[in-house]
Amino acid sequence: MTILALLLVLVYGLCLAFIFCYSLVQVHLVYLYLRCQPAQNTDSTSLLISVEELPLVTVQLPVYNERYVVERLIDAVAAFNYPPNKLQIQVLDDSEDETGMLIAAKVAYYREKGLAITHVQRPTRSGFKAGALQHGLATATGDFIAIFDADFLPEPDFLRQTLSPFSNPRVGVVQTRWGHLNSNYSLLTKLQAFGLNAHFTIEQTGRSCGHFFINFNGTGGIWRKSCILDAGGWQADTLTEDLDLSYRAQLRNWEFRYLEQIIAPAELPATMPAVKSQQFRWTKGAAETARKNLGQVFQSDKSWLTKVHALFHLGNSSIFVCIFLSAFLSLPALLIWERWPQFQFFFNVGSLFFVSLAGLILFYWTAFRRTNEKGITSFFKFLPRFFWFLTFSLGLSLHNALAVLEGYLGIKTPFIRTPKFNLQKPTDSWQNNAYRTGSINLLTLLEGLFAFYFLGGFLLAFHLRNYGLLPYHLMLTLGFSGVFILTLKHSR
């Protein structure tokens, strides 16, 4: 029994140690972000000198069953302030519903106005989004390929603002920051915006300024066509084809540019099943990409610091495995602490949790200040937002941990799209929507059971008079119960 207790404590400590290392990497990105911010603010995205110098651009719009948003997307791209004779628009349509008819009507309308716009339909949806992009690449006439998912609404001057960095022939990708059309729709969308803003400020800028591996985010950016081809093209063996191609391109020594000051607005998922679908694809895809590319990263001639950041970049979804394991083992840890005082030394590792928490507070606070008003009042707005973001992240840890394990084990699953509902105002409704997703499955029931499990840990603290993990178990209880309840509510 003592050996089992020791094993549990060791696993618990290793999970906390990984979380601690992850937080150190995030703090380093904060340092890089703050160091590079003045240069970012003065960095020019000036227009190219003349219309004659503008390159040929193909805009690819990968679409699958997007009846609520596809028309506004095509309208936005058709309104680009770019010479029509240098612009090609490909609507890569894999739809199986009436979306195709809406696209056909829009394409016909803009073709009559002189735009070079085509409606590309494949016989099968093989390869999902990666397959559609690769299929469209064969007939793309542009030297540069801009990509927008169906829920994006790029500004008319997007292309003119983002092409300048390509004057460097080694630049293969320019990525912009995502904006959020419906960030104030609900608490769920506010928390997603909170997390994504941190990625699109601190992480992307920090990695770019540190000359580490960064990633194209699947949309809201531009590729040099020759870069895609040189890196091996779009491949469908991971759920994050964007991250995969990004690493393969940078291993071929292509450079990426991130433009934080340019915003591409998009819609956030508004239901818990939609959030879970997106999180599953991102976390599992990151694990698949790590499995595929991390070995080549370590064999490359990149610096050791670049390799460390790549490890935590590609392996960042593994944080959910450590979060869930450490949470699950925290209850036995309380009992072991009470029963075997000789393990006190190992429990001192638990202090790493508070150091990690401080690092994450710094990380998200820096991002929050960048995207919100400054001053002391901003901090009081930040604290509850950070609390609920962390709470719901804990609640999603089981769901995301299982996705990560599937990725590392090589278990293949289809690409599940995130439904878009064209929600911009709080009064807009996703109910009675044709693309509602969600069902009550075993995982949902487990999330409900774990809410009671962590409630038991909360009550156990009072019984043992050991209150160190009391706030943690409270957050776990709220997180798992919140995810469980919203899954039930949004699946009806």
Side-chain angles (χ1 to χ4, degrees):
M1 196 65 184
T2 305
I3 296 176
L4 178 60
L6 177 61
L7 181 61
L8 290 176
V9 170
L10 286 174
V11 173
Y12 180 65
L14 288 172
C15 289
L16 292 179
F18 182 87
I19 295 170
F20 172 70
C21 293
Y22 172 82
S23 70
L24 288 182
V25 170
Q26 300 303 90
V27 169
H28 186 231
L29 290 174
V30 171
Y31 163 73
L32 292 171
Y33 176 79
L34 294 175
R35 189 186 72 179
C36 297
Q37 192 58 34
Q40 284 282 315
N41 290 335
T42 58
D43 192 24
S44 173
T45 56
S46 59
L47 304 182
L48 298 179
I49 297 173
S50 65
V51 172
E52 289 73 22
E53 291 180 324
L54 291 173
L56 298 175
V57 175
T58 295
V59 180
Q60 292 186 326
L61 310 177
V63 172
Y64 174 68
N65 293 354
E66 302 288 3
R67 69 173 81 168
Y68 300 110
V69 294
V70 70
E71 291 177 295
R72 72 177 190 184
L73 169 67
I74 296 173
D75 288 338
V77 173
F80 275 164
N81 177 22
Y82 207 78
N85 64 321
K86 296 192 173 187
L87 181 66
Q88 177 195 32
I89 302 172
Q90 293 180 328
V91 186
L92 308 176
D93 178 25
D94 283 348
S95 300
E96 299 167 340
D97 64 359
E98 62 267 33
T99 301
M101 293 186 292
L102 298 175
I103 293 172
K106 278 289 181 183
V107 167
Y109 172 78
Y110 283 113
R111 283 180 71 88
E112 287 183 4
K113 289 184 171 293
L115 278 182
I117 181 170
T118 56
H119 185 188
V120 182
Q121 293 178 296
R122 300 186 293 160
T124 64
R125 196 180 167 224
S126 61
F128 305 106
K129 182 180 177 181
L133 292 171
Q134 187 67 18
H135 181 80
L137 198 64
T139 54
T141 59
D143 298 315
F144 298 91
I145 311 294
I147 301 172
F148 298 98
D149 282 349
D151 56 318
F152 273 69
L153 280 179
E155 297 293 334
D157 58 350
F158 181 90
L159 296 179
R160 301 290 292 269
Q161 286 186 307
T162 52
L163 284 168
S164 294
F166 288 110
S167 59
N168 180 344
R170 290 309 304 166
V171 172
V173 173
V174 169
Q175 175 67 54
T176 64
R177 179 159 63 97
W178 290 5
H180 314 297
L181 294 168
N182 61 332
S183 58
N184 292 320
Y185 181 78
S186 66
L187 176 61
L188 195 58
T189 57
K190 289 177 181 178
L191 297 181
Q192 291 174 80
F194 181 87
L196 286 171
N197 286 342
H199 169 70
F200 280 101
T201 53
I202 310 302
E203 288 188 330
Q204 288 290 64
T205 303
R207 290 185 182 122
S208 179
C209 290
H211 304 289
F212 305 140
F213 286 93
I214 69 171
N215 61 291
F216 171 66
N217 293 103
T219 176
I222 305 178
W223 283 83
R224 190 187 296 271
K225 184 179 179 180
S226 59
C227 172
I228 299 176
L229 297 174
D230 181 64
W234 296 102
Q235 298 175 7
D237 53 351
T238 75
L239 290 178
T240 47
E241 71 292 323
D242 47 3
L243 180 61
D244 171 41
L245 183 56
S246 296
Y247 264 76
R248 286 188 280 117
Q250 287 167 104
L251 284 167
R252 297 280 297 170
N253 294 319
W254 287 96
E255 298 176 12
F256 282 29
R257 293 287 184 270
Y258 176 63
L259 303 181
E260 182 190 350
Q261 65 274 33
I262 307 300
I263 299 175
E267 181 181 324
L268 294 163
T271 67
M272 183 56 72
V275 171
K276 282 183 168 182
S277 172
Q278 188 179 73
Q279 288 283 312
F280 181 90
R281 190 172 70 249
W282 287 353
T283 52
K284 180 175 180 177
E288 290 176 326
T289 304
R291 189 171 184 260
K292 177 179 178 179
N293 293 298
L294 200 53
Q296 297 178 57
V297 170
F298 282 115
Q299 293 171 19
S300 71
D301 58 356
K302 306 294 183 183
S303 70
W304 69 268
L305 189 56
T306 298
K307 293 176 182 179
V308 168
H309 272 273
L311 172 65
F312 282 93
H313 184 198
L314 288 179
N316 64 359
S317 60
S318 302
I319 195 76
F320 289 105
V321 177
C322 294
I323 287 173
F324 179 74
L325 276 178
S326 59
F328 178 74
L329 295 175
S330 62
L331 267 72
L334 279 174
L335 298 173
I336 292 171
W337 190 325
E338 184 75 13
R339 174 67 178 79
W340 288 284
Q342 64 267 35
F343 291 141
Q344 177 67 42
F345 170 77
F346 293 102
F347 283 105
N348 291 335
V349 177
S351 61
L352 291 176
F353 172 80
F354 297 102
V355 179
S356 303
L357 182 62
L360 292 177
I361 289 174
L362 174 65
F363 175 79
Y364 284 104
W365 165 237
T366 305
F368 190 81
R369 287 186 74 249
R370 171 66 178 85
T371 54
N372 292 269
E373 71 274 12
K374 308 296 188 291
I376 190 65
T377 56
S378 179
F379 188 69
F380 289 109
K381 291 181 180 179
F382 163 78
L383 285 177
R385 192 72 57 89
F386 177 75
F387 171 82
W388 285 113
F389 173 77
L390 195 58
T391 296
F392 271 89
S393 296
L394 292 172
L396 285 167
S397 60
L398 173 61
H399 173 273
N400 289 349
L402 292 175
V404 171
L405 292 176
E406 282 192 12
Y408 284 133
L409 293 173
I411 300 172
K412 295 299 181 182
T413 50
F415 184 103
I416 305 298
R417 63 180 282 278
T418 304
K420 292 94 177 180
F421 303 134
N422 195 7
L423 303 175
Q424 298 189 42
K425 303 186 299 295
T427 53
D428 294 337
S429 176
W430 52 264
Q431 294 177 329
N432 300 319
N433 189 293
Y435 299 143
R436 285 182 59 190
T437 61
S439 60
I440 309 306
N441 52 29
L442 178 60
L443 178 57
T444 304
L445 298 177
L446 284 174
E447 288 166 341
L449 290 174
F450 273 111
F452 285 103
Y453 176 78
F454 293 117
L455 177 61
F458 179 79
L459 299 175
L460 184 62
F462 293 97
H463 177 72
L464 298 178
R465 296 185 179 181
N466 185 339
Y467 306 111
L469 293 177
L470 186 66
Y472 183 47
H473 287 143
L474 174 61
M475 294 175 70
L476 285 163
T477 303
L478 292 173
F480 273 88
S481 59
V483 169
F484 173 70
I485 291 170
L486 285 179
T487 301
L488 293 181
K489 180 180 178 181
H490 294 166
S491 297
R492 286 187 288 175

